[in-house]
Amino acid sequence: MKAPESRVRPPSALFAALGDATRLRIVVRLARGEPLSIKQLASGARMTRQAVTKHLHVLAAAGVATPSRQGREQLWALDRRQLAQARLFLDGVAQQWDVRLARLKASLEDPPR
């Protein structure tokens, strides 16, 4: 498999990839530390290695997971840059809501005369 481009993608690609509960669980496992093999990721997941591979390719296309070779084994690691970009996006959305809610609260507490 060709390694995905190392560029930050729009947050929508990440959110679409994480919209699947299985992929979200894979990301959580990868976030715990060392890169993991497909065999390790499939272990205890009640899915085949082929299914794990399919999900990893979706995560790779979203820029979240990156493969590397260690001998004959392919290891997968989390690319935190994409997650950091999505966090910035969500922080901006949260800030907008905070401003709007503060305005609403002020208007309810101090009605116009």
Side-chain angles (χ1 to χ4, degrees):
M1 178 184 150
K2 182 183 169 191
E5 291 180 39
S6 88
R7 65 180 179 91
V8 176
R9 291 156 182 83
S12 58
L14 171 65
F15 298 136
L18 295 181
D20 180 271
T22 300
R23 289 192 287 271
L24 187 56
R25 282 192 298 273
I26 290 171
V27 167
V28 168
R29 288 194 64 197
L30 291 174
R32 291 184 184 147
E34 300 289 321
L36 298 172
S37 69
I38 293 170
K39 180 179 179 181
Q40 290 170 312
L41 287 166
S43 172
R46 294 186 194 165
M47 74 173 70
T48 65
R49 291 183 204 171
Q50 291 81 7
V52 170
T53 300
K54 176 185 160 195
H55 287 294
L56 286 167
H57 286 207
V58 172
L59 291 170
V64 180
T66 56
S68 64
R69 283 265 176 221
Q70 185 173 13
R72 293 177 52 188
E73 209 167 31
Q74 188 171 40
L75 299 178
W76 288 83
L78 197 61
D79 187 340
R80 296 177 190 276
R81 292 175 299 179
Q82 185 67 18
L83 294 174
Q85 186 69 22
R87 183 177 193 150
L88 288 173
F89 175 80
L90 290 175
D91 287 346
V93 170
Q95 189 175 33
Q96 289 174 0
W97 273 104
D98 289 345
V99 168
R100 290 183 179 128
L101 290 172
R103 273 194 234 139
L104 177 62
K105 181 181 177 188
S107 71
L108 292 173
E109 289 176 347
D110 190 22
R113 296 174 194 180

